[in-house]
Amino acid sequence: MNDQNFTPETKPISPLGYIGYEILFAIPLVGLIVTIVFAITQKNINVKNFARAQLCMILIVFICYFIIAAVTGASLSDLASNSMY
């Protein structure tokens, strides 16, 4: 592929670029803020879509953690209430 065929808005992300974005987005709290900012304001549609995919993954993981915490809490609560002591 030749870089002359792409505009700045459609230029593909290099494999090293993906690794760099993954590291940047993985920083606690700062990464979340950067991911949200990139998903909204980034001009390059490839970076924007990658940031949106990361936000979807964060949401899925958060929902899974919430479900696991709720089930674990309910189980522990049930065990505590049925205790013989």
Side-chain angles (χ1 to χ4, degrees), residues 8-73:
E9 290 84 19
T10 60
K11 185 176 179 190
I13 306 170
S14 69
L16 216 65
Y18 277 111
I19 293 170
Y21 285 124
E22 282 284 345
I23 292 170
L24 179 64
F25 294 160
I27 300 170
L29 195 60
V30 174
L32 178 64
I33 294 168
V34 169
T35 306
I36 292 169
V37 169
F38 275 25
I40 296 170
T41 64
Q42 186 60 246
K43 299 288 185 223
N44 186 318
I45 60 170
N46 297 308
V47 176
K48 183 183 272 192
N49 287 336
F50 185 67
R52 288 176 178 172
Q54 287 294 107
L55 284 175
C56 290
M57 288 302 298
I58 290 169
L59 183 63
I60 290 168
V61 168
F62 178 75
I63 290 170
C64 289
Y65 282 155
F66 181 76
I67 291 170
I68 291 169
V71 169
T72 303

